[in-house]
Amino acid sequence: MTSHSRTYRSRAWQDVLLVYRREIGARLATKGYFAGMAVMVALVVALMAGFSSLGADKTFDIAVCGAPRADFGTTAKDVRVRPCSGPEQAREQTEREQIEAAVVVADGHVSVLVRGNTDPLAQEAAMAMSRAWATSRALASQHVDRQRLDAAVAEAAPGIVRIGNSPPTGQVAATVSLLIVLFMQIVGQGSVIAQGVVEEKSTRIVEVLLSTLTPLRLMIGKVAGIGTAAVLQIAVLAGAVIGAGAVSGGSSGPLPGTAAMLSLPVWFLLSFALFAGLFAAAGSLVSRPEELQSVLMPVMVLALVPVGVVAAAAGDLSASWVSVVQYIPPFSGMLMPLQAGLGTVSPAQQLLAGGLMLLATAGCMWLAARVYRASILRTGTTVRWRQALAA
């Protein structure tokens, strides 16, 4: 009995491995696979460059004339003060966009010169400089001891106290964007699985395959093969982002760090495994490719719901509902890597969420296998989910 069980298990693994190799070979032999990989890498690198530029510090050139530089107060670190000879030069440099703004003192009055497209931050900085000059002039007219006043203000100056551990908004947006790209891959590769199943069914190739394989082994091998090809794409994507960050000297702006980028393929694999069997089962319900969209819609909606949830959670990751939903599949597939990318979740929490995801995946695979076995050889009319489960 034991020998028979071992032989059966060995044969099962051989069958699954046979289908697995076939699917990987089929994916890697197509130009579309590598074209899709190149498009994904280009998209994510473009996102990386865009968010990095948003997170980069801006420096504004503001010209001052008509009064000593000290009369305009202390400026922020992103403001570079340049002298100008008079109002005409200030106007000319502002119009030609050589400077962002100018603060001009003439006849005892101060004016701020800006363009219509002047950055609001630069305009606010120029206004602050003009107010500093006006304040200095008013204090001088009142014979106020400026040194004593400055010392008293410095002593009573407010300090910034940061509370909570809310991550920067730019980092949240960048991580959510990467996760959306990954979940689009789940939908895309899941559709490839369903398309492959229905093509084999419509051409009756599946009948030949099932003469030597069981439906469950065929489905597992197909899902594992296409899943591996998808993970290879994600690994290349993560490597491209990490490599770009290394080339730029680690200044990746608001993007997640290396540890977070390495965790993304793991969560992608868990999420893909959760939905892959359902996509295969959906493909087995129809006999023609043109009928596929109708049965795929419920699975695609289920796969896209986590995208909406993570978009809502990104506004307040400390909300009580997020602390609960982040453990519930399939939402954990996006919320956990988001939290990991922001450094707001512990390894123990990720392990707990991963364990629950594996249990949900086992349930979905059991459900998908039941539907797949009941409908893969039924041709003609479309088989409903309820009919396949009842069979």
Side-chain angles (χ1 to χ4, degrees):
M1 184 68 177
T2 303
S3 176
H4 177 72
S5 299
R6 290 177 179 173
T7 303
Y8 179 80
R9 286 196 297 268
S10 176
R11 177 61 185 274
W13 281 112
Q14 290 176 3
D15 290 346
V16 171
L17 186 60
L18 179 66
V19 180
Y20 174 81
R21 290 174 175 172
R22 171 177 172 266
E23 293 298 330
I24 288 185
R27 299 282 85 76
L28 298 181
T30 60
K31 295 180 181 179
Y33 174 82
F34 294 99
M37 182 185 298
V39 169
M40 280 190 58
V41 170
L43 175 61
V44 172
V45 170
L47 284 173
M48 178 179 176
F51 281 110
S52 295
S53 64
L54 289 176
D57 294 333
K58 294 182 178 180
T59 301
F60 305 111
D61 289 328
I62 298 178
V64 295
C65 55
R69 166 69 182 81
D71 289 353
F72 296 97
T74 303
T75 58
K77 65 178 182 179
D78 56 352
V79 174
R80 186 165 49 221
V81 179
R82 296 172 52 176
C84 59
S85 59
E88 293 300 326
Q89 185 186 30
R91 179 180 295 275
E92 181 181 356
Q93 289 182 347
T94 303
E95 288 180 351
R96 293 184 177 181
E97 300 189 7
Q98 296 174 345
I99 56 177
E100 285 294 319
V103 183
V104 179
V105 176
D107 300 327
H109 297 281
V110 62
S111 302
V112 177
L113 307 182
V114 297
R115 299 184 306 275
N117 62 345
T118 295
D119 191 292
L121 295 177
Q123 182 173 328
E124 181 59 31
M127 289 297 298
M129 293 170 64
S130 68
R131 285 192 293 267
W133 178 88
T135 301
S136 178
R137 180 179 175 84
L139 292 174
S141 66
Q142 298 295 323
H143 306 289
V144 176
D145 189 333
R146 188 60 184 267
Q147 290 184 346
R148 291 182 59 187
L149 177 64
D150 290 343
V153 170
E155 184 178 353
I160 297 177
V161 178
R162 300 188 185 277
I163 59 176
N165 57 352
S166 300
T169 303
Q171 188 176 3
V172 175
T175 308
V176 169
S177 298
L178 288 177
L179 289 172
I180 291 176
V181 172
L182 293 183
F183 251 69
M184 292 301 101
Q185 270 289 96
I186 291 177
V187 174
Q189 296 298 329
S191 300
V192 171
I193 292 175
Q195 188 71 29
V197 171
V198 72
E199 285 178 356
E200 289 177 351
K201 185 174 179 179
S202 62
T203 57
R204 297 189 178 275
I205 294 177
V206 69
E207 297 177 8
V208 178
L209 295 173
L210 292 180
S211 63
T212 56
L213 301 170
T214 65
L216 181 59
R217 296 174 191 176
L218 177 59
M219 187 190 77
I220 293 176
K222 178 178 289 292
V223 167
I226 296 178
T228 301
V231 170
L232 287 175
Q233 285 186 328
I234 300 303
V236 170
L237 182 150
V241 174
I242 294 173
V247 170
S248 62
S251 59
S252 56
L255 289 172
T258 300
M261 289 302 303
L262 293 176
S263 72
L264 290 181
V266 176
W267 280 105
F268 169 81
L269 181 60
L270 291 173
S271 300
F272 179 83
L274 181 70
F275 291 106
L278 298 178
F279 277 103
S284 69
L285 295 174
V286 296
S287 301
R288 294 179 299 177
E290 55 267 25
E291 300 172 343
L292 183 59
Q293 197 61 36
S294 60
V295 296
L296 273 186
M297 188 57 63
V299 184
M300 294 180 70
V301 170
L302 181 62
L304 291 175
V305 166
V307 176
V309 172
V310 80
D316 185 11
L317 289 173
S318 60
S320 57
W321 69 270
V322 176
S323 63
V324 176
V325 174
Q326 66 183 2
Y327 295 104
I328 302 175
F331 312 116
S332 57
M334 285 200 77
L335 288 175
M336 273 296 167
L338 173 61
Q339 301 272 37
L342 302 174
T344 57
V345 68
S346 66
Q349 291 175 307
Q350 291 196 67
L351 288 174
L352 175 58
L356 295 175
M357 180 74 89
L358 288 174
L359 291 176
T361 299
C364 287
M365 289 299 289
W366 174 84
L367 177 70
R370 181 166 179 164
V371 173
Y372 189 90
R373 282 195 301 263
S375 56
I376 190 62
L377 291 177
R378 296 175 63 177
T379 58
T381 60
T382 300
V383 182
R384 302 298 178 187
W385 286 92
R386 184 177 300 178
Q387 293 174 339
L389 289 172

